[in-house]
């Protein structure tokens, strides 16, 4: 798996870890907590502004709003601003986009259901998937008959799917069937899920339809067709022909042998029919398991839809930005000399690997940008240092006070 910017620890834990080295100085510990409490409120205010921006510019494309409500946002909602703001929030939340190659691999393979899914991509003007965090888990899956096997499955901790539907004219031209889903053409759908298997990403598309795989088709039709033809031609048909000829001509035949041959053929056909039914029933059971996965996604894995997804995204963004700022400030504060961005990056990543046994790609650029923008970090000749804790409290307090200026 790719090393991620995502930091899989909460902000309170990271702050406690960083200020532990100042335990002998209660005032410094208290000042650190005050500093990051004010910073958190300031970042929350920035997230509030992003939320307002998203809601305003998404409203015209929100399928959850009525036609009348959407019309009131004509000329007010700007799609380009919405998309740019959404990408900013995703980047700050350390989400990364899934590339087309990974998607194609997921569409070809399946870890849990072993079922091919057909997706009509003509329904979408644009579609994108963004993920954050990953882990492996051992699961039991069906193998042959009643046997099960254990396999290691890679999961994404969070997945956001972005679907921009085509307009009505295009959908009619391509004869796209949206089924019974209440999707307004031209709308933008956002959904966030947790714990999605890497090789089953296609299951979160709303228009995914189960299809028989080539293996399922071969197991069903090849024995059915060839076995049926051979049994009919070798046993059933000859016996019936002989019996019919005897009936027409009045000749005597070995009725016992003819009946035996006929019965053997019919019994074999019955067994073959049971086999074919079993193979088809396997496919039906896979569809049922797929329906169960959809139900689980709807009730247990879905974290937000459309404008309701903004809260989850903004909360993630706010937390990640704060965690990066806590780490960058405290590591620079404890350093005896100014550090380059590369040196700071290496120190923080090494600390995660040694102390928390976690391999990640710390986003040092974003962290330093935040320190610079808030006035807490200073760069001189490519090397960074932070202001003293006392001065930092004054700066961030003034920054917060300046948010609301009424005179």
């Amino acid at each position: 798996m790719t090393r991620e910017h995502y930091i899989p620890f909460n902000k309170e834990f990271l702050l406690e870890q960083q200020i532990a080295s100042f335990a002998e100085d209660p005032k410094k510990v208290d000042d650190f907590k005050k500093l990051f409490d004010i910073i958190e409120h300031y970042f929350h205010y920035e997230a509030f502004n992003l939320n307002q921006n998203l809601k305003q510019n998404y409203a015209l494309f929100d399928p959850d709003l009525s036609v009348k409500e959407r019309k009131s946002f004509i000329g007010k909602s700007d799609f380009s601003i919405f998309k740019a703001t959404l990408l900013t929030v995703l980047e700050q939340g350390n989400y990364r986009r899934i590339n087309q190659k990974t998607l194609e691999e997921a569409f070809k393979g399946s870890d849990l259901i072993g079922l091919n899914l057909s997706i009509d991509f003509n329904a979408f003007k644009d579609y994108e998937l963004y993920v954050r965090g990953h882990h492996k888990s051992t699961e039991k899956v069906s193998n042959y008959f009643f046997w099960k096997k254990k396999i290691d499955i890679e999961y994404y901790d969070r997945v956001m799917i972005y679907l921009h539907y085509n307009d009505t004219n295009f959908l009619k031209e391509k004869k796209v069937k949206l089924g019974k889903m209440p999707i307004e053409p031209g709308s933008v759908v956002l959904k966030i899920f947790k714990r999605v298997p890497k090789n089953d990403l296609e299951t979160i598309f709303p228009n995914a339809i189960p299809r028989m795989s080539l293996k399922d088709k071969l197991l069903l039709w090849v024995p059915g067709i060839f076995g049926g033809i051979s049994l009919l031609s070798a046993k059933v048909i000859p016996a019936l022909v002989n019996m019919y000829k005897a009936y027409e001509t009045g000749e005597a035949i070995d009725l016992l042998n003819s009946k035996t041959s006929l019965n053997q053929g019919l019994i074999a056909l019955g067994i073959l029919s049971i086999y074919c039914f079993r193979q088809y029933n396997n496919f039906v059971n896979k569809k049922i398991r797929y329906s169960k996965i959809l139900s689980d996604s709807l009730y247990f894995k879905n974290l937000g839809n459309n404008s309701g997804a903004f809260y989850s995204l903004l909360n993630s963004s706010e937390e990640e930005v704060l965690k990066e700022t806590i780490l960058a400030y405290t590591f620079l504060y404890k350093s005896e000399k100014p550090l380059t961005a590369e040196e700071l990056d290496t120190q923080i990543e090494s600390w995660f690997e040694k102390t928390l046994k976690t391999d990640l790609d710390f986003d040092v650029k974003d962290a330093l940008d935040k320190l610079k923008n808030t006035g807490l970090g200073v760069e001189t000749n490519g090397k960074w240092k932070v202001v003293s804790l006392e001065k930092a409290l004054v700066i961030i307090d003034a920054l917060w006070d300046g948010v609301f200026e009424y005179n």
Side-chain angles (χ1 to χ4, degrees), residues 159-185:
V159 178
M160 192 209 78
I161 185 170
Y162 163 93
L163 302 171
H164 188 179
Y165 281 82
N166 274 305
D167 57 35
T168 305
N169 292 333
F170 184 90
L171 296 177
K172 287 182 178 179
E173 179 185 337
K174 295 293 182 178
K175 298 180 180 178
V176 175
K177 295 181 180 179
L178 295 179
K180 297 179 180 180
M181 295 183 297
I183 299 298
E184 185 73 19

Side-chain angles (χ1 to χ4, degrees), residues 195-212:
R195 204 171 183 268
V196 178
K198 178 182 177 182
N199 286 338
D200 288 328
L201 282 173
E202 72 275 24
T203 61
I204 66 175
F205 280 80
N207 62 337
I209 300 173
R211 303 288 189 194
M212 272 193 170

Side-chain angles (χ1 to χ4, degrees), residues 165-307:
Y165 281 82
N166 274 305
D167 57 35
T168 305
N169 292 333
F170 184 90
L171 296 177
K172 287 182 178 179
E173 179 185 337
K174 295 293 182 178
K175 298 180 180 178
V176 175
K177 295 181 180 179
L178 295 179
K180 297 179 180 180
M181 295 183 297
I183 299 298
E184 185 73 19
S187 62
V188 175
V189 171
L190 302 174
K191 290 181 179 293
I192 301 178
F193 298 91
K194 66 178 181 180
R195 204 171 183 268
V196 178
K198 178 182 177 182
N199 286 338
D200 288 328
L201 282 173
E202 72 275 24
T203 61
I204 66 175
F205 280 80
N207 62 337
I209 300 173
R211 303 288 189 194
M212 272 193 170
S213 66
L214 179 60
K215 177 183 176 182
D216 289 329
K217 290 178 181 177
L218 290 175
L219 288 174
L220 176 62
W221 294 112
V222 171
I225 293 174
F226 289 99
I229 290 174
S230 61
L231 285 171
L232 287 171
S233 59
K235 294 284 186 181
V236 179
I237 294 177
L240 289 173
V241 169
N242 289 336
M243 293 173 70
Y244 180 75
K245 284 182 178 179
Y247 172 77
E248 287 289 319
T249 60
E251 295 178 1
I253 62 169
D254 189 348
L255 188 60
L256 180 61
N257 286 337
S258 295
K259 282 185 175 181
T260 301
S261 180
L262 179 61
N263 289 337
Q264 288 174 346
L266 291 175
I267 290 171
L269 278 176
I271 294 172
L272 181 62
S273 298
I274 292 172
Y275 168 82
C276 291
F277 174 77
R278 181 182 177 281
Q279 292 304 122
Y280 179 75
N281 195 51
N282 284 342
F283 171 69
V284 172
N285 287 336
K286 288 179 182 179
K287 290 180 69 175
I288 292 172
R289 288 203 301 273
Y290 172 64
S291 298
K292 176 67 166 56
I293 288 175
L294 290 186
S295 297
D296 288 347
S297 296
L298 178 63
Y299 291 105
F300 304 114
K301 294 186 176 183
N302 184 262
L303 300 178
N305 301 302
N306 304 325
S307 59

